[in-house]
Amino acid sequence: MGQNLHTRIADIFNEPGCDKNVAKEEKARKKGCSKPLTPGAAAGGCAFDGAKIALQPITDVVHLVHGPLACEGNGWDNRHASSSGPMLYRSGFTTDMTEMDIVMGSGEKRLYRAIKEAISKHNPPAVFVYATCVPALIGDDIDAVCRHASEKLGTPCIPVNAPGFVGSKNLGNKLAGEALLDHVIGTHEPGAMAPNSVNILGEYNLSGELWQIKPLLDALGINLHASITGDARYHLVASSHRAQVNMMVCSTALINVARKMQERYGIPYFEGSFYGISDTSEALRQLATLLVGTGTDAGLIARTEALIAAEEARAWARIAPYRARLRGKRVLLYTGGVKSWSVVSALQEIGMEIVSTSVRKSTDNDKLKIKELMGGDAHMVDSIPPREMYATLKRGDADIMLSGGRTQFVALKARTPWLDINQERHNAYAGYDGMVDLVHALDRAISNPVWSDLRRPAPWDDAPSLSLAAE
Amino acid sequence: MAEIMHGRKALSSNPLKSSAPLGASLAYLGMAGSVPLLHGSQGCTSFALTLAVRHFKEAIPMQTTAMDEIATILGGPSNLEEALLNLTKRMKPSFIGIASTALVETRGEDIVGALKLIVAARPELQGVKIVYASAPDYDGAMEDGWSKATAAIVEALVEPAEGAAAASPFVNLLPGVNQTPADIEELVELIESFGLGVVVLPDISGSLDGVVPDAYTATTFGGTTVQQVAGMSRALHTIAIGEHMRRPAEILRDRFGVAGTLFPTLTGLEPNDRLISLLIALSGRPAPARLRRQRSQLVDAMLDGHFHFGGRRVAIAADPDQLYGLSMVFGGMGAEIVTAVSSTSQSPLLARVPAAQVVVGDLSDFEDLAAAAGAELLVTNSHGRQAAERLGLPHLRVGFPIFDRLGTAHRRLVGYRGTRDFIFDVANIVLANLPHHHPEDFARIPGEEAHDGHAVAATH
Ligand code: SF4
């Protein structure tokens, strides 16, 4: 990998669009935002993991992982990013490097042959090639192999230089964005663009959430050109530089892409969320405003307001029956990927009480928003050790925990309702309908009669009784 | 006898195998009060952990030495030391099992030597047993990692037997990575029914069997204790399951004088008969009446079930020992193993798989071969689901990972009862997929050559 990648990482840490960074002193900024990990007390995926997450929803290409087995062998087909068409992205491709490749230094040759085999078997519009730690350590130059293969084989080969050991998942997201900026975005000129075209950045279409949003955009005559990346097609991403507006949904994940697309192509962007009713409305408003600012007729604003009014009324009417059942119920919110504040405001909208929320992956801006929403930071926690989390739940301090799969069993073993709101989840909660679905899901989880049954003492813990026969 | 074919592809599509460090970690999870520690970068642990959680549907302790780029290039054991200290302080384990990964093995380092120095220098680590196994990802698959870790535990923790024999006689049971918690429970019950005690290593039936403990534990909350392992030298005998458990069994025999018997598989009538004979000999007791009844139930299941196996065209993909075990059951009931794909070539059992060929390959090989051979049933882990969808074939999930079905830990495949249940599972899949016959199925113009089809008229 060499100097290139390091310059790149330094650049990312200098990202002016990242609000965490701008607040820092020059010196602190140079050090970067990756906290050094604590050996023996670390959790979370590597940069390669993050890069793959960000790019895999390009559904019609081959995603080829260069490295020994574990990087892809243990991780493929593990998410629910949905596709409306091609299924190629769900296959796992790896060079499965052997000891021989490592000792003999034949990794680059193997990679080239693997690219060739993938193209001849699947004929994809592009091959994305991911570096991992071992080839990076022994100096395999995936950029050169990709350049050579693109030329020789006539299919674009995109090097994604984010070997795991350079840092966290979040850094990997950004490096993936850099790969798109360098090798994909702007490489394809579309014929005619549909009017009012926008891109959405950082939306992976998990469980089909994009499809909860798209009808709203369709109703307003807004054309979703490329989702970068969710249910994405290669040539749409490659021509995404012709869209009018970018919306960035996942906090800081692809901020570098949004900012550089603005710089290079003059595409304005804003940051928004489709979680929660008012956030969804706000996002639609901003989209409309920016579109009008870039030439769309001003009537869009009024049409947007009308749609918002109708959709909000409909959503609240559908939520109403659950409001009474959920009001005052206490939630322990422990999330990583989804912005805490948007979930906080969503839950508050239906009258639930937030016991505490984690802000371990939130930006300063996010934290401010949460503080505002919750009236202080008393309940903001960085991370909760599992032992404490278990104790909290066992004491009954919360009626439900919302978190990701990693902490699922802490809640379940404490016999507490749990709902998955992270990226591995199977349910879609975006937009107005998604919010209604989330409320249904919360109610289903909390009011399931199984909980009272589960909390009954075992017969040997009860006083012995002979009265059973009477029943 | 099967011919073993090695693919010459540079591209592995839809990997069949899970990594060796993951196999080693699972073995370490069979120890009580344990935390597995992967010596490598954080992502390796994260992927392994996520996959293990998807399979077992349990919280699983697993840590990383978090080697970043600089630590890797500079080398040196400081991350390892820091990790041991941190996790000892935070999680208070009584056992830490370390497995290397491709990354640190590529860098090349004397981990064993470094570990000795760390343990000697650090009084905080005195109360913890620390075991190390080299298990790079580029060498073998889950079975290999599991075996290496078990061998490492035996080497490090078994103490030479001194003095009189154990007061109450017991055997060592070395399950392979393919045995579920329910399998282990079944075998323990079986051995105990002969009045023998049993020490299981690794014992995931205590740690990954899906129970709800009354308090939070950061480490595993069941499994083999360090004391139990220490005493394994006093066992009457060792029973090992799967060729990959040969090494730990041999260490027990050669170094500690415990004779052993290796069962390549314990699914099927014949291997279980041999197991019972062994237990009769070891205990000097007759087989309990309950067992006789179980054997009879299995015989009956085979009688009822063989109609649904006979002539079925089955495709199996698995790690070598599991491939062998399953193919013996299918083949033994009259099915035809039309496709056999093994994740690695590292087992002598492969040549004995009852199929014309065993291909060492991935799940895309499996899919292509099964399609070409006209397979009627796919038998492999959950990663085979895409192939099953595309081919429109029923898919029996076996092995690791199984992430899209519940109850995997409680599925029993060994013993008379396990074999009986397995036969019913397979027969039920066949019954659920029986084709309805149409006149065309039988349409051959008398007097002409028959067309070449795979259809086999089912027997109801
Ligand atoms: S940390 Fe490196 S070796 Fe481990 S999974 Fe990530 S890329 Fe692969």
Side-chain angles (χ1 to χ4, degrees):
Chain A
M1 54 170 174
Q3 210 41 52
N4 253 338
L5 179 56
H6 295 130
T7 330
R8 168 120 311 163
I9 292 171
D11 268 5
I12 287 174
F13 287 147
N14 261 320
E15 173 59 54
C18 173
D19 58 17
K20 261 197 171 176
N21 259 328
V22 277
K24 282 186 198 162
E25 298 271 315
E26 181 70 16
K27 225 162 127 205
R29 206 184 301 165
K30 283 242 167 68
K31 265 174 68 193
C33 42
S34 67
K35 283 185 219 119
L37 292 164
T38 315
C46 60
F48 154 69
D49 195 0
K52 186 92 183 302
I53 288 169
L55 298 177
Q56 188 154 23
I58 302 177
T59 56
D60 53 354
V61 304
V62 163
H63 296 276
L64 170 57
V65 179
H66 182 39
L69 177 81
C71 315
E72 181 69 352
N74 290 348
W76 70 287
D77 196 11
N78 63 352
R79 293 159 61 82
H80 305 280
S82 310
S83 167
S84 58
M87 285 294 161
L88 190 53
Y89 74 117
R90 280 186 70 200
S91 289
F93 296 102
T94 171
T95 49
D96 190 3
M97 287 173 90
T98 61
E99 189 164 12
M100 201 66 130
D101 295 319
I102 295 167
V103 176
M104 309 291 289
S106 53
E108 292 179 2
K109 280 205 195 87
R110 189 184 184 101
L111 174 59
Y112 179 78
R113 278 176 47 217
I115 293 173
K116 206 169 152 185
E117 286 170 22
I119 291 174
S120 77
K121 185 158 181 189
H122 300 283
N123 192 26
V127 178
F128 282 65
V129 176
Y130 299 78
T132 62
C133 298
V134 168
L137 181 66
I138 61 175
D140 280 4
D141 185 347
I142 68 159
D143 287 71
V145 175
C146 284
R147 217 176 307 123
H148 180 69
S150 303
E151 259 166 44
K152 269 273 217 307
L153 307 170
T155 299
C157 298
I158 317 301
V160 184
N161 230 324
F165 63 13
V166 299
S168 66
K169 249 194 210 177
N170 191 283
L171 175 63
N173 291 156
K174 294 198 169 66
L175 288 167
E178 292 292 319
L180 290 179
L181 286 164
D182 285 354
H183 303 282
V184 183
I185 295 170
T187 58
H188 177 74
E189 287 305 331
M193 286 292 280
N196 308 332
S197 284
V198 301
N199 301 315
I200 296 185
L201 308 181
E203 162 60 55
Y204 305 136
N205 196 29
L206 296 172
S207 308
E209 288 189 332
L210 201 52
W211 303 325
Q212 291 180 309
I213 307 305
K214 214 171 161 292
L216 296 170
L217 303 183
D218 290 345
L220 293 172
I222 298 174
N223 171 49
L224 176 57
H225 180 75
S227 168
I228 302 175
T229 64
D231 192 20
R233 306 291 180 276
Y234 182 74
H235 71 274
L236 291 177
V237 179
S239 59
S240 60
H241 61 302
R242 291 294 168 229
Q244 248 169 282
V245 169
N246 277 341
M247 169 176 175
M248 189 180 72
V249 298
C250 186
S251 226
T252 59
L254 290 175
I255 177 78
N256 51 336
V257 178
R259 194 184 53 75
K260 286 188 184 164
M261 284 181 82
Q262 181 173 41
E263 221 170 77
R264 285 184 199 173
Y265 311 108
I267 305 175
Y269 72 90
F270 73 100
E271 197 187 322
S273 160
F274 285 119
Y275 291 112
I277 291 175
S278 38
D279 282 318
T280 302
S281 300
E282 193 45 39
L284 293 176
R285 254 180 218 122
Q286 292 225 42
L287 264 180
T289 311
L290 287 185
L291 277 169
V292 169
T294 51
T296 297
D297 92 88
L300 177 62
I301 307 242
R303 277 186 287 127
T304 305
E305 288 304 333
L307 181 79
I308 288 173
E311 284 292 316
E312 284 199 353
R314 178 171 180 271
W316 285 121
R318 292 176 66 205
I319 286 173
Y322 297 93
R323 244 185 143 148
R325 298 164 62 106
L326 291 174
R327 178 170 308 134
K329 290 278 193 269
R330 297 153 308 158
V331 186
L332 178 62
L333 185 63
Y334 199 71
T335 117
V338 179
K339 288 172 128 186
S340 307
W341 61 262
S342 65
V343 182
V344 167
S345 69
L347 296 177
Q348 286 186 338
E349 273 175 0
I350 51 172
M352 296 182 81
E353 193 185 306
I354 315 288
V355 181
S356 65
T357 180
S358 72
V359 289
R360 67 210 147 102
K361 291 188 184 167
S362 307
T363 61
D364 291 343
N365 234 341
D366 286 347
K367 285 183 198 163
L368 266 180
K369 279 183 203 154
I370 294 173
K371 228 186 242 180
E372 262 166 45
L373 282 168
M374 300 188 26
D377 54 7
H379 301 292
M380 266 162 52
V381 292
D382 231 7
S383 66
I384 313 177
R387 186 185 300 275
E388 247 172 62
M389 187 185 283
Y390 179 85
T392 306
L393 296 172
K394 191 90 185 191
R395 270 199 312 271
D397 289 355
D399 296 301
I400 188 167
M401 179 160 90
L402 269 56
S403 70
R406 270 172 193 274
T407 42
Q408 168 178 5
F409 299 102
V410 180
L412 294 182
K413 300 282 178 187
R415 301 171 214 236
T416 302
W418 175 82
L419 198 67
D420 194 351
I421 52 159
N422 262 20
Q423 299 170 346
E424 294 84 13
R425 69 185 178 277
H426 292 262
N427 298 309
Y429 299 134
Y432 301 106
D433 290 349
M435 192 58 207
V436 177
D437 292 345
L438 176 63
V439 172
H440 286 198
L442 282 167
D443 182 55
R444 255 198 323 270
I446 293 177
S447 63
N448 193 317
V450 77
W451 298 113
S452 57
D453 206 16
L454 283 170
R455 290 172 188 145
R456 260 171 344 101
W460 45 85
D461 292 335
D462 251 357
S465 142
L466 289 173
S467 63
L468 283 179
E471 273 188 43
Chain B
M1 289 304 90
E3 179 193 1
I4 296 168
M5 314 283 288
H6 293 268
R8 301 193 46 83
K9 300 182 307 176
L11 177 70
S12 166
S13 318
N14 300 342
L16 165 62
K17 58 185 166 184
S18 297
S19 73
L22 175 50
S25 304
L26 294 184
Y28 291 144
L29 287 170
M31 292 292 290
S34 156
V35 180
L37 174 66
L38 294 190
H39 189 18
S41 195
Q42 61 164 340
C44 311
T45 295
S46 170
F47 279 119
L49 180 61
T50 306
L51 190 59
V53 169
R54 285 173 84 201
H55 176 87
F56 287 105
K57 310 210 162 39
E58 288 292 325
I60 287 179
M62 200 183 286
Q63 259 302 330
T64 172
T65 56
M67 299 291 285
D68 59 15
E69 188 185 7
I70 296 169
T72 307
I73 292 170
L74 294 180
S78 63
N79 274 48
L80 182 58
E81 175 167 10
E82 218 185 303
L84 288 170
L85 293 174
N86 278 334
L87 87 83
T88 303
K89 200 163 102 208
R90 280 192 333 135
M91 302 169 91
K92 307 194 175 38
S94 43
F95 175 91
I96 299 174
I98 307 169
S100 64
T101 60
L103 181 63
V104 295
E105 297 272 357
T106 301
R107 170 65 176 66
E109 206 140 298
D110 177 16
I111 300 170
V112 178
L115 194 57
K116 274 206 189 101
L117 293 178
I118 294 170
V119 172
R122 288 302 192 157
E124 304 96 301
L125 300 175
Q126 290 325 306
V128 198
K129 293 291 178 191
I130 301 173
V131 165
Y132 167 77
S134 157
D137 310 271
Y138 47 70
D139 185 18
M142 294 253 298
E143 287 180 353
D144 306 277
W146 172 278
S147 157
K148 287 172 180 171
T150 310
I153 295 171
V154 170
E155 266 180 342
L157 301 184
V158 177
E159 290 169 6
E162 274 162 25
S168 44
F170 70 95
V171 298
N172 299 324
L173 176 66
L174 305 180
V177 69
N178 304 309
Q179 269 70 61
T180 63
D183 286 339
I184 296 172
E185 263 170 25
E186 177 75 5
L187 292 169
V188 167
E189 199 181 296
L190 189 70
I191 296 167
E192 285 177 350
S193 72
F194 283 87
L196 297 168
V198 52
V199 171
V200 185
L201 179 74
D203 187 6
I204 59 166
S205 79
S207 54
L208 291 172
D209 62 333
V211 293
V212 184
D214 281 327
Y216 179 80
T217 50
T219 63
T220 55
F221 53 82
T224 326
T225 63
V226 168
Q227 290 75 4
Q228 282 177 311
V229 181
M232 287 176 83
S233 53
R234 301 158 74 95
L236 279 181
H237 201 84
T238 297
I239 295 170
I241 311 167
E243 185 60 38
H244 66 289
M245 293 312 270
R246 182 175 293 280
R247 224 177 106 214
E250 280 177 356
I251 300 171
L252 280 164
R253 183 194 65 197
D254 298 344
R255 206 170 301 168
F256 301 101
V258 183
T261 306
L262 187 133
F263 294 87
T265 170
L266 277 176
T267 311
L269 182 61
E270 184 269 348
N272 281 293
D273 283 351
R274 278 195 297 121
L275 174 64
I276 302 302
S277 304
L278 175 69
L279 291 173
I280 292 172
L282 287 173
S283 67
R285 293 199 192 179
R290 203 162 27 124
L291 263 183
R292 296 166 191 239
R293 201 157 181 94
Q294 286 172 14
R295 185 179 192 280
S296 186
Q297 289 171 357
L298 171 57
V299 168
D300 194 52
M302 291 166 78
L303 290 169
D304 294 342
H306 83 281
F307 297 113
H308 306 291
F309 280 71
R312 290 287 146 203
R313 306 173 64 80
V314 178
I316 310 177
D319 274 3
D321 283 0
Q322 193 171 39
L323 174 63
Y324 171 80
L326 290 168
S327 64
M328 290 304 282
V329 180
F330 278 101
M333 295 281 292
E336 193 186 338
I337 315 296
V338 292
T339 302
V341 175
S342 171
S343 57
T344 75
S345 56
Q346 297 176 349
S347 170
L349 291 178
L350 284 185
R352 288 162 51 193
V353 168
Q357 273 187 355
V358 173
V359 173
V360 178
D362 53 40
L363 287 171
S364 76
D365 296 320
F366 178 64
E367 184 173 345
D368 294 347
L369 291 165
E376 297 167 280
L377 171 64
L378 302 184
V379 181
T380 188
N381 62 42
S382 284
H383 276 142
R385 64 181 176 174
Q386 293 186 36
E389 257 169 53
R390 282 188 288 262
L391 300 180
L393 290 177
H395 172 196
L396 176 66
R397 284 154 178 81
V398 295
F400 182 97
I402 297 179
F403 48 70
D404 55 352
R405 290 292 182 274
L406 296 188
T408 309
H410 303 297
R411 255 175 85 203
R412 188 169 55 185
L413 261 87
V414 302
Y416 293 135
R417 288 190 293 197
T419 310
R420 177 198 66 195
D421 295 349
F422 181 71
I423 286 171
F424 290 146
D425 282 349
V426 172
N428 287 336
I429 291 179
V430 172
L431 282 167
N433 290 279
L434 277 186
H436 288 284
H437 291 295
H438 303 283
E440 312 85 69
D441 295 344
F442 309 98
R444 181 180 67 80
I445 302 168
E448 281 186 13
E449 271 307 304
H451 65 82
D452 178 29
H454 297 304
V456 179
T459 316
H460 295 262

